[in-house]
Amino acid sequence: MPPHPSVSDEPSSPAGRPCLDLLDTAHAGDPLDTLDALRAWCADTGLVPPGTGLHTATTRWLTAFRDLRTQVAVLVRAELAARGARADPALPVALARINALARSAPPTPRAVRTDDGTLTRALHPDPGCAALLALVARDVIDLLTDPEARARLRECAADDCSRVYLDTSRGARRRWCSSERCGNRTRVARHRRRAQVARA
């Protein structure tokens, strides 16, 4: 499985890939609603190293990232539904859009020395929107063209959640997008149901 194309030293990807983290923003009250939120999401997901300013960001970035999220959703949901049905007329449009975005050059990493003399990763220069979109677009291409990774795509098993994640657990037995959130909530609900049946 190819590594995801994060440029951060220690990327944190809750869903397992930056492209899936972007898709999952639709389930989190849409953190892509302000530029500050977008900047924070880019750092939290590992698209950029911590402290990257993204000073050139404008409200057009928000529209561009939401559009990319829509295209990622079309392609990923098609993989999850029927694993081979490709009749959705939105698929060719989404694929063409992802391929077009992936053509731009991704951000260029550089090493900088910190105050204590160690090297850390930074970007040169502060990346533009097209470079960051290319990073995510290339990630979804890597994901969906890798048979092993594609086979590990999962949708959360909780009744009220449709988040998508990459199941990298041993034996591919992961059932929830988050064991602490959906897994715990599901277990608590089952326990309450069993307790109610026992009392009845």
Side-chain angles (χ1 to χ4, degrees):
M1 182 186 308
H4 65 69
S6 172
V7 294
S8 170
D9 283 316
E10 296 181 0
S12 60
S13 179
R17 302 288 290 240
C19 63
L20 299 180
D21 289 330
L22 177 63
L23 180 57
D24 286 352
T25 61
H27 301 280
D30 198 353
L32 305 182
D33 59 350
T34 68
L35 289 177
D36 284 344
L38 177 61
R39 289 184 185 103
W41 180 84
C42 287
D44 291 346
T45 308
L47 287 183
V48 298
T52 304
L54 298 180
H55 301 296
T56 61
T58 69
T59 54
R60 291 181 183 175
W61 286 40
L62 299 174
T63 302
F65 270 87
R66 287 191 203 112
D67 177 66
L68 175 55
R69 180 175 64 191
T70 299
Q71 310 314 321
V72 171
V74 169
L75 295 176
V76 169
R77 297 288 178 193
E79 289 299 325
L80 289 168
R83 299 278 185 182
R86 302 290 182 266
D88 186 345
L91 282 172
V93 175
L95 188 58
R97 183 71 181 130
I98 293 292
N99 285 333
L101 290 171
R103 285 200 301 261
S104 294
T108 304
R110 65 187 176 109
V112 296
R113 201 163 295 284
T114 62
D115 292 340
D116 66 2
T118 59
L119 291 175
T120 189
R121 187 179 297 249
L123 299 181
H124 180 78
D126 199 14
C129 186
L132 295 177
L133 294 174
L135 203 58
V136 179
R138 290 174 182 212
D139 184 51
V140 76
I141 289 171
D142 286 345
L143 172 63
L144 297 181
T145 58
D146 178 347
E148 181 182 340
R150 198 170 57 233
R152 288 181 172 266
L153 276 173
R154 302 283 185 272
E155 187 172 20
C156 185
D159 293 337
D160 57 350
C161 182
S162 59
R163 284 182 172 90
V164 177
Y165 60 90
L166 196 66
D167 183 2
T168 57
S169 66
R170 181 175 295 182
R173 295 179 181 163
R174 182 175 164 190
R175 298 189 56 216
W176 299 290
C177 63
S178 166
S179 180
E180 294 77 23
R181 183 178 54 235
C182 290
N184 188 55
R185 193 174 66 242
T186 301
R187 286 188 289 269
V188 168
R190 285 179 184 162
H191 175 73
R192 287 178 179 162
R193 283 195 298 271
R194 284 194 298 267
Q196 288 172 349
V197 169
R199 285 194 300 268

